């Protein structure tokens, strides 16, 4: 790394302010990425709308067909 030569304290303070802003920006970006990762790993986001779709399809069946479809579904899931 090349050393920088400063001619005044104002130049030092200016670079320190720039570095602080860059550090704060990087920190906030990291926090946002961590929050997005947490949110994406929540169970509701992993499985999505699959349970809703299954229930809506099962809602189309009536009586014995519905119980048969549910039985087959549970056997498939808990195999």
């Amino acid at each position: 790394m090349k050393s920088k030569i400063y001619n005044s304290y104002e130049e030092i303070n200016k670079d320190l302010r720039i570095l602080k802003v860059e550090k704060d920006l990087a920190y906030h970006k990291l926090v946002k990425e961590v929050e997005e990762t947490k949110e994406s790993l929540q169970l509701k986001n992993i499985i999505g709308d699959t349970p809703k779709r299954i229930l809506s399809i099962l809602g189309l069946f009536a009586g014995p067909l519905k119980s048969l479809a549910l039985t087959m579904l549970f056997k498939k899931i808990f195999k």
Side-chain angles (χ1 to χ4, degrees):
M1 186 171 163
K2 194 173 186 181
S3 296
K4 185 172 180 180
I5 299 174
Y6 293 100
N7 294 320
S8 69
Y9 285 111
E10 184 57 39
E11 289 178 12
I12 296 171
N13 288 333
K14 179 183 172 189
D15 277 357
L16 288 173
R17 285 192 301 270
I18 291 170
L19 289 172
K20 183 181 183 320
V21 169
E22 289 174 349
K23 181 189 83 161
D24 289 344
L25 182 63
Y27 173 76
H28 289 293
K29 187 176 179 181
L30 176 68
V31 168
K32 182 181 178 195
E33 289 174 357
V34 167
E35 290 299 320
E36 289 173 355
T37 302
K38 278 185 192 176
E39 185 177 322
S40 70
L41 292 176
Q42 289 180 351
L43 185 60
K44 67 178 182 175
N45 292 328
I46 292 173
I47 61 173
D49 290 336
T50 305
K52 284 184 186 176
R53 290 181 185 161
I54 291 172
L55 290 175
S56 67
I57 292 170
L58 290 176
L60 300 175
F61 296 110
L65 288 178
K66 186 184 271 187
S67 66
L68 177 65
L70 282 172
T71 304
M72 290 174 58
L73 177 67
F74 286 131
K75 282 183 180 179
K76 192 89 163 166
I77 291 173
F78 298 110
K79 206 173 198 183

